[in-house]
Amino acid sequence: MLTGDLYRDRLDLLQAALDHINQGFSVFDADLRLVAWNRRLFEMLEFPWHLANRGTHLAEFLRVNAARGEYGDSDVEVLVARRVERARLFEPHTFERKRPDGQVVLVTGAPLPAGGFVTTYTDVTRERQQQATLERTVAERTRQLRQSEDWLRLVTDSVPALIAYIGPGPVYRFANRRYAKWFDHTVESIVGRPAEEVIGPELYPQIVPHIDRAFEGEAVSYEYSRTRKDGRLVHMRSTLIPDRTLDGRTLGCFVLSLDATDQKRSEVALAEARRMEAVGQLTGGVAHDFNNLLTIIIGNVLSLRRKAEAPAMPDLAAHLDPVLQAAQRGADLTRRLLAFARGDAPDAKPVHLPALLTDIERLVAGSLPASIALTVASQAPALVARIDPSEAENALVNLIFNARDAMPQGGKLTVTLDETHLETSEAEAIGIAPGSYARILVADTGQGMSEEVRRQAFDPFFSTKTFGTGSGLGLPTVYCFARRAGGGITIDSQPGEGARICLLLPVHQDIPADETGTGDTIMPAGHGELILLVDDDTDVANVVRDQLCALGYTVLVTNEAKDAVDLIASVPDIQAVLSDVVMPGQMNGMDLVAAIRRARPDLPTALMTGYRRGPGQEGVPTDCVAGDCPVLAKPFTICALAQTMSEILAS
C-alpha cells in the first residue's frame, strides 16, 4: 500500500510529466469532476487557475466558456446544463471549436472503463490557416485553369479547323466545337467517349491504324470520306501529332483536321476544265481547216445541184443529196466538238420532251437489230426543258447507240421519261442545284461497266470500243450537253448486269413555241454590186465567189490582205469587202478591217472564219461581232451569205 505522501508524490510526478505535453489534457471521473490536467490546457483555453484543483466540476469550466460567449448568445445556465447532460453519456467525441479570437481547437474525448473520460485539446489554428491558404490557392489555380481552358476553347472554336486531343484508350479528352459537330456530337458529349464510339463502326477501321501509329510516336497525315446524316458525302484531311514526354513516352495525340470537301470539288472542276482546255486546243486547230474543206464541198455540191435541175441531168440530184447531207453532218460534228470544248449552249429553247422521245424512237428504229427490243415510255406527258433540241437529239442517240453496242447478242433497251425532285443532299452528290428535274433513263441488259470504266466514262477520247469504231466523244458530249442545260448525268452499272444511265434536265415552265415553217426562205439578191473577196485558200475563195455571183454580185478576188488594201485604195467602185480572218503574213482579217476603217470608214465589211468564237478563243474580233462587221462561221449556207451581204450593204 502506498502511503498518502508517496501517493501525492507520484501524482505530482505525473502532473509534472503531463505539463510537458504540448497538447491540453484533462481527466474527469464518473461524477464529472476533475481528476487530472496539465498546464497546457489552462494556457491554451485561458481558464482561471483557481479551477486547477482535483474535484472541480466540469460545469465550472463550461460556465467560463459560456460566459465568454464561446457557445453563443443564449442563457449561460441553459448552455451549461445542455453540455453537462451530453457529457454524462460518456460517448467518444471529436470536434473542432473555433474560439472568438480565431483560435481553432481540436477536441478529442474517450470514455474510461471505470467511468468518466479523458480528453485531449490540440491547437490546430496554424494547420487550419495553412489549409485555408492552400484551398484558396487551389481555388485560384482552378479558376485560372478554367479561365485558361475557356480561353483555349474560345481560340480553338474560332479557328477554321477541327481540333481534338485523344488520350489512351483511345478516348477523346478534348474537342473544339467544329470537331464535335463533324461527328454529330457536342463538346460536352464527345469528351470521355471512346474514339470507336465517336467515329463509328464503319469509319473507325480506316482511322485506327493511323491512331496506333501516332501512339507509337509517329506524326501521321491521311484523308478520309464519310456520309453525313443528311446524305452528303464530305471529305476530311487530318494530321495526328504525338504528345510525347522528355523520356519518350506518348501520352496521347493532337488531332488537326481540315474539311476538304470544297477543295475536292474544286480539284474535280479544275481537272474537268483542264480536259476541256485540252480538247479546245485540239479542236480549235482542226476546226479551221476542216470547216474550210466543208465550205468547198458544200459550195460545189450546191452549185452542182443547181445545174442538176437542168433536164439533161435528171438523176444527178439523187447522187448529190447524200454528199450534201454528209458534209452538213460534218459541219454539225465540228460545231458540237467546239461546243463541247467551250461549254456553249447557243440554241437553247423550250422543248417538249415526250415529243422529242417520239422523234428519237422513229429516228433510231431502223438502226437497231431485230435482236434488241426497244421500249420508249413517257410517264410525264407535259414535261418541258430549255435545251438545244439538236444537241438533245444527238445526246439521246449517243446513249441509245452505246446501249446497242453493249448488247452484241441482243437484249432489252428501255428509254423512260418521268419527273423527279432532288433534295439538297441528292443534288450535291451529282453537282447540280436542288429542284425539279426531267429524268430520262436509258437502261440496257448488256455487258455493263467496271468501276474503272465508269470513272473514265466522261473523259474525252476514252473509249472501250475497238480502235476506229468509236471517237471517245459520245458520253463526254452527253455530259457537256447536260451541264450546259443546268442538269447532270449519272451511271449505275456493274459488269454483266447492264447499265442505267440517267440524264437529268431542269424542268422548264414555258410552252414550246410552234416550230411549223412559214414557207420557203427568200434569199436577198444582189444587183451587180462589186464585192472584194479576200481568202488565202484558193479553193474556198472560188466556192464563195461562185456563191456571190449566183446571188447577183460582181466579185473581185485576192488571196492577200495587203493586196486588198491596195485594191480598196485604187478601185473606188468596190462596194463591200468579205474577208477571211486567219491568213498568213503580217496582216490578217482583223488588221484588214482596221485598215479599211482608216481608209474608207463607210465601206461595208464582213468576216468569215473556220473558228467559232468562245471563251478564250483567238482569231475573232469582239468589236466586229458586236458592231457593224458580222462574222460568218464556215461552212455557211448560201442563204446565210445572202442575208449577211444584204445587211452590210443596207447599213
Side-chain angles (χ1 to χ4, degrees):
M1 283 295 288
L2 294 174
T3 64
D5 292 340
L6 181 59
Y7 179 76
R8 284 192 297 273
D9 290 342
R10 291 194 174 183
L11 286 177
D12 292 340
L13 180 63
L14 177 61
Q15 185 67 53
L18 291 175
D19 288 342
H20 283 82
I21 298 176
N22 195 37
Q23 293 174 290
F25 176 82
S26 68
V27 179
F28 288 85
D29 61 16
D31 294 329
L32 299 182
R33 294 189 178 278
L34 185 63
V35 175
W37 68 92
N38 69 348
R39 181 180 296 275
R40 180 61 179 158
L41 170 66
F42 284 83
E43 292 175 349
M44 180 189 303
L45 300 181
E46 301 176 316
F47 287 130
W49 284 102
H50 70 270
L51 298 179
N53 293 305
R54 295 182 181 91
T56 303
H57 199 276
L58 174 63
E60 299 298 328
F61 291 93
L62 297 175
R63 189 170 286 108
V64 171
N65 284 339
R68 292 187 299 202
E70 296 193 18
Y71 299 146
D73 297 332
S74 298
D75 182 81
V76 172
E77 294 304 322
V78 173
L79 294 172
V80 171
R82 187 184 301 161
R83 280 163 175 75
V84 169
E85 192 66 27
R86 189 182 303 161
R88 291 186 187 280
L89 299 176
F90 299 107
E91 293 178 345
H93 55 276
T94 299
F95 61 88
E96 287 186 5
R97 182 159 62 85
K98 187 174 183 180
R99 302 185 65 202
D101 61 356
Q103 182 186 33
V104 181
V105 179
L106 174 64
V107 181
T108 302
L112 296 173
F117 55 86
V118 59
T119 305
T120 59
Y121 306 86
T122 307
D123 187 347
V124 294
T125 305
R126 182 181 296 274
E127 288 83 346
R128 295 300 174 262
Q129 290 175 344
Q130 292 175 345
Q131 182 179 354
T133 301
L134 179 60
E135 289 176 352
R136 287 195 298 272
T137 301
V138 170
E140 178 63 20
R141 292 289 186 269
T142 302
R143 186 190 65 78
Q144 293 176 353
L145 179 60
R146 186 177 296 110
Q147 185 179 25
S148 177
E149 289 179 350
D150 291 343
W151 177 253
L152 175 63
R153 181 164 299 284
L154 177 63
V155 172
T156 56
D157 286 346
S158 301
V159 172
L162 284 70
I163 302 171
Y165 183 88
I166 300 177
V171 174
Y172 280 96
R173 300 301 182 193
F174 174 85
N176 69 348
R177 296 192 185 280
R178 292 175 186 267
Y179 193 97
K181 185 178 180 182
W182 175 265
F183 287 109
D184 303 312
H185 275 273
T186 64
V187 170
E188 295 76 18
S189 68
I190 197 173
V191 174
R193 288 184 180 266
E196 183 175 6
E197 182 179 337
V198 172
I199 297 174
E202 296 182 358
L203 183 59
Y204 185 70
Q206 303 177 36
I207 304 299
V208 68
H210 304 299
I211 297 177
D212 292 341
R213 288 171 57 193
F215 272 91
E216 291 171 0
E218 180 181 353
V220 185
S221 295
Y222 58 94
E223 294 184 4
Y224 65 89
S225 303
R226 66 183 290 261
T227 302
R228 305 202 60 161
K229 288 183 177 180
D230 59 5
R232 291 192 304 125
L233 180 65
V234 289
H235 306 273
M236 181 63 68
R237 184 173 291 114
S238 293
T239 299
L240 304 181
I241 305 296
D243 179 16
R244 306 188 67 183
T245 62
L246 293 177
D247 58 1
R249 291 179 296 114
T250 301
L251 303 178
C253 63
F254 299 96
V255 185
L256 175 63
S257 300
L258 296 173
D259 188 342
T261 304
D262 291 340
Q263 183 178 351
K264 286 288 185 182
R265 291 174 182 167
S266 298
E267 289 174 355
V268 171
L270 179 60
E272 181 179 332
R274 286 175 175 171
R275 289 198 300 269
M276 296 303 103
E277 181 183 3
V279 176
Q281 291 174 350
L282 174 65
T283 56
V286 172
H288 178 261
D289 293 336
F290 190 52
N291 283 333
N292 275 344
L293 294 175
L294 290 173
T295 300
I296 297 169
I297 294 171
I298 293 174
N300 281 291
V301 170
L302 289 173
S303 297
L304 286 174
R305 282 192 64 187
R306 287 192 296 273
K307 295 178 181 179
E309 296 174 358
M313 295 180 286
D315 299 328
L316 185 58
H319 297 286
L320 292 175
D321 285 344
V323 178
L324 181 60
Q325 292 172 4
Q328 289 172 339
R329 283 197 298 270
D332 184 60
L333 174 62
T334 305
R335 182 181 67 83
R336 286 191 284 108
L337 195 62
L338 287 168
F340 169 73
R342 296 192 313 267
D344 292 352
D347 300 319
K349 57 185 176 182
V351 174
H352 186 247
L353 295 180
L356 177 66
L357 288 190
T358 300
D359 293 341
I360 293 296
E361 183 179 13
R362 186 168 51 250
L363 181 64
V364 302
S367 301
L368 297 178
S371 58
I372 294 180
L374 172 64
T375 302
V376 179
S378 175
Q379 301 175 10
L383 272 182
V384 174
R386 186 173 181 80
I387 53 178
D388 183 330
S390 63
E391 287 192 353
E393 179 180 294
N394 178 68
L396 291 173
V397 169
N398 263 316
L399 294 179
I400 291 172
F401 283 175
N402 278 351
R404 176 200 64 185
D405 296 341
M407 298 185 290
Q409 307 303 321
K412 296 180 179 180
L413 199 166
T414 305
V415 182
T416 57
L417 169 67
D418 62 7
E419 184 175 359
T420 185
H421 184 83
L422 298 184
E423 301 297 339
T424 301
S425 58
E426 299 172 300
E428 285 186 354
I430 306 174
I432 57 181
S436 295
Y437 286 84
R439 177 170 55 189
I440 302 175
L441 181 64
V442 180
D444 65 66
T445 58
Q447 302 168 349
M449 305 181 194
S450 66
E451 181 180 353
E452 182 180 0
V453 171
R454 290 198 311 273
R455 189 169 56 249
Q456 302 179 76
F458 300 128
D459 288 349
F461 307 114
F462 172 78
S463 177
T464 58
K465 298 178 182 179
T466 305
F467 179 77
T469 62
S471 65
L473 287 174
L475 282 178
T477 302
V478 179
Y479 173 84
C480 284
F481 157 69
R483 287 298 186 184
R484 288 194 297 272
I489 183 172
T490 63
I491 298 177
D492 179 15
S493 179
Q494 297 293 333
E497 299 181 7
R500 292 165 52 88
I501 299 182
C502 181
L503 183 62
L504 295 163
L505 302 172
V507 172
H508 194 69
Q509 302 302 323
D510 290 354
I511 299 175
D514 185 6
E515 298 178 3
T516 304
T518 57
D520 295 334
T521 301
I522 300 176
M523 291 187 296
H527 299 87
E529 294 93 337
L530 181 59
I531 309 297
L532 175 60
L533 175 63
V534 187
D535 198 310
D536 63 292
D537 190 314
T538 303
D539 292 332
V540 173
N542 290 338
V543 169
V544 177
R545 179 200 59 202
D546 292 345
Q547 290 177 328
L548 289 171
C549 291
L551 290 172
Y553 297 102
T554 303
V555 183
L556 183 62
V557 180
T558 181
N559 299 117
E560 293 187 8
K562 288 185 176 180
D563 291 343
V565 174
D566 295 337
L567 287 170
I568 290 168
S570 58
V571 183
D573 293 336
I574 294 176
Q575 294 177 265
V577 178
L578 177 61
S579 172
D580 192 17
V581 172
V582 179
M583 291 184 290
Q586 297 181 350
M587 179 176 286
N588 58 25
M590 291 183 292
D591 299 326
L592 176 59
V593 170
I596 292 172
R597 288 177 173 170
R598 288 192 297 269
R600 293 179 56 181
D602 58 341
L603 182 63
T605 307
L607 291 171
M608 53 185 178
T609 180
Y611 289 105
R612 304 271 183 166
R613 273 197 79 250
Q617 184 170 354
E618 301 292 337
V620 181
T622 303
D623 59 336
C624 288
V625 177
D628 59 354
C629 184
V631 176
L632 278 166
K634 298 177 183 177
F636 45 79
T637 64
I638 191 170
C639 291
L641 178 62
Q643 188 66 35
T644 299
M645 298 309 298
S646 175
E647 288 176 358
I648 65 172
L649 287 169
S651 61

